[in-house]
């Protein structure tokens, strides 16, 4: 539930920021008459996300066991790819997000009314589909479906409240730090989903090695224990993974975490350089200090 709450909160905040920027920009342009088209696109995106969630929940029941496992494994890997891309994209484009959205809105206004609907749908639809896929993959990997869905809904509702508070100036929230730490947390959640997806493909005989665990941690984490249930619900932990699952988890973390930390380091250096350049420019444009007057010696004779 915690994992799906965080994904709902993170994706909801991203969508809330996008909507807030677009709505505020239309207001600044004096084109509030276009808000209806923008909201129509946002509503369309929400409907598509709900449709994807419903299809993932109810669609596989008409399939054979092997087909269900292949679908589940494939979609889990797709969910990991989307969440990973989202994490890195937000980390590298967060600073220029507002500028990019304003440029997209200018282009949409110049084209047609449908372009504004499409912009609203695409801007929010990505987060909606990512949320649907990741929540489904998390629930399929061992989390209780009801709790997983409830966690995502609570996360989205929390994001709505925070986004509204930010837009009204009632909430001061360090979004950069939030996205940084949740991004790192979600990398480990995604690693568990990836391992689960590999296990599904092994059960379907697409990848060999199912039924031969690499090791067993049942002595440390007994099946049915409360902490085993928590680990399975958040990180898709399994006490007896196969070698393919171990390699997938370790390989993903070993590649993704260093790249993520490197991106954060470069972003920090870029901000420091920009701040230093701004300070230098301000100092260069400042008027010179008036020269101090030397005291005139007084002749006492």
């Amino acid at each position: 539930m915690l994992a799906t709450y965080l994904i709902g909160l993170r994706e909801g905040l991203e969508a809330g920021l996008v909507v807030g920027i677009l709505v505020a920009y239309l207001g600044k342009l004096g084109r509030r008459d276009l808000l209806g088209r923008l909201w129509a696109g946002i509503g369309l995106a929400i409907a598509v996300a709900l449709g994807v969630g419903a299809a993932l929940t109810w669609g596989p029941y008409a399939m054979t066991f092997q087909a269900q496992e292949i679908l589940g494994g494939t979609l889990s890997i797709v969910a990991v790819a989307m969440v990973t891309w989202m994490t890195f994209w937000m980390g590298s484009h967060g600073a220029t997000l507002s500028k990019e959205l304003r440029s997209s809105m200018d282009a949409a206004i110049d084209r047609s009314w449908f372009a504004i609907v499409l912009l609203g749908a695409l801007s929010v639809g990505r987060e909606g589909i990512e949320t649907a896929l990741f929540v489904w993959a998390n629930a399929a990997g061992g989390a209780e479906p009801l709790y997983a869905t409830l966690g995502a809904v609570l996360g989205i509702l929390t994001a709505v409240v925070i986004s509204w508070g930010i837009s009204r100036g009632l909430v001061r929230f360090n979004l950069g730090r939030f996205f940084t730490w949740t991004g790192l947390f979600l990398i480990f959640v995604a690693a568990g989903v990836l391992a689960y997806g590999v296990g599904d493909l092994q059960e379907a005989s697409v990848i060999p090695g199912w039924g031969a665990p690499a090791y067993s941690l049942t002595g440390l984490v007994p099946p049915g224990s409360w902490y085993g249930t928590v680990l399975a619900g958040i990180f898709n932990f399994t006490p007896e993974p196969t070698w393919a699952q171990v390699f997938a988890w370790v390989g993903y973390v070993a590649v993704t975490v260093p790249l993520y930390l490197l991106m954060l380091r470069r972003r920090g250096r870029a901000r420091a350089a920009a701040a230093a350049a701004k300070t230098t420019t301000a100092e260069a444009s400042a008027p010179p200090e008036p020269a101090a007057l030397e005291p005139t010696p007084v002749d006492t004779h």
Side-chain angles (χ1 to χ4, degrees):
M1 184 172 176
L2 176 60
T4 56
Y5 175 82
L6 284 178
I7 192 68
L9 178 60
R10 182 187 173 96
E11 296 288 350
L13 279 175
E14 283 189 29
L17 287 174
V18 169
V19 171
I21 291 170
L22 293 176
V23 170
Y25 188 56
L26 283 178
K28 183 178 180 180
L29 294 175
R31 297 301 308 270
R32 291 188 174 275
D33 57 301
L34 300 177
L35 285 176
R37 300 174 187 178
L38 178 64
W39 285 113
I42 294 170
L44 178 62
I46 294 173
V48 170
L50 291 174
V52 170
L56 292 174
T57 302
W58 304 108
Y61 286 106
M63 305 170 66
T64 64
F65 174 78
Q66 184 179 27
Q68 288 184 33
E69 296 302 296
I70 293 175
L71 177 64
T74 302
L75 289 180
S76 294
I77 294 173
V78 170
V80 170
M82 292 184 70
V83 169
T84 305
W85 175 82
M86 172 267 294
T87 300
F88 280 89
W89 186 91
M90 194 64 186
S92 58
H93 288 77
T96 60
L97 179 61
S98 180
K99 182 179 179 180
E100 292 176 6
L101 287 173
R102 290 196 298 267
S103 299
S104 299
M105 180 57 76
D106 288 335
I109 292 174
D110 292 338
R111 290 174 187 169
S112 65
W113 66 270
F114 182 72
I116 298 175
V117 176
L118 186 61
L119 175 62
L122 293 178
S123 298
V124 178
R126 182 190 65 190
E127 280 79 10
I129 293 176
E130 285 175 357
T131 302
L133 271 175
F134 206 70
V135 169
W136 174 84
N138 190 267
E144 178 65 34
L146 176 61
Y147 291 148
T149 304
L150 182 60
V153 171
L154 290 176
I156 293 172
L157 291 177
T158 304
V160 170
V161 173
I162 293 175
S163 299
W164 179 84
I166 292 174
S167 66
R168 299 294 180 180
L170 302 176
V171 176
R172 292 188 178 275
F173 195 67
N174 192 328
L175 290 172
R177 185 172 299 175
F178 170 81
F179 285 125
T180 296
W181 288 108
T182 55
L184 187 60
F185 175 81
L186 287 177
I187 285 175
F188 289 95
V189 174
V193 173
L194 176 62
Y196 168 78
V198 169
D200 267 358
L201 294 178
Q202 286 185 295
E203 283 194 85
S205 299
V206 175
I207 298 176
W210 181 250
Y215 53 80
S216 177
L217 296 177
T218 54
L220 295 175
V221 187
S225 62
W226 67 268
Y227 45 93
T229 302
V230 171
L231 289 173
I234 298 177
F235 299 106
N236 280 271
F237 169 81
T238 175
E240 294 184 331
T242 64
W243 280 113
Q245 289 177 303
V246 172
F247 288 144
W249 193 97
V250 172
Y252 176 81
V253 171
V255 172
T256 308
V257 170
L259 289 177
Y260 185 73
L261 296 178
L262 179 62
M263 180 195 68
L264 295 180
R265 187 177 181 182
R266 288 178 176 175
R267 189 177 68 185
R269 288 178 175 177
R271 287 179 176 175
K278 186 177 180 180
T279 301
T280 303
T281 303
E283 291 176 350
S285 60
E289 291 284 340
L293 296 177
E294 291 292 333
T296 302
V298 178
D299 189 357
T300 58
H301 299 284

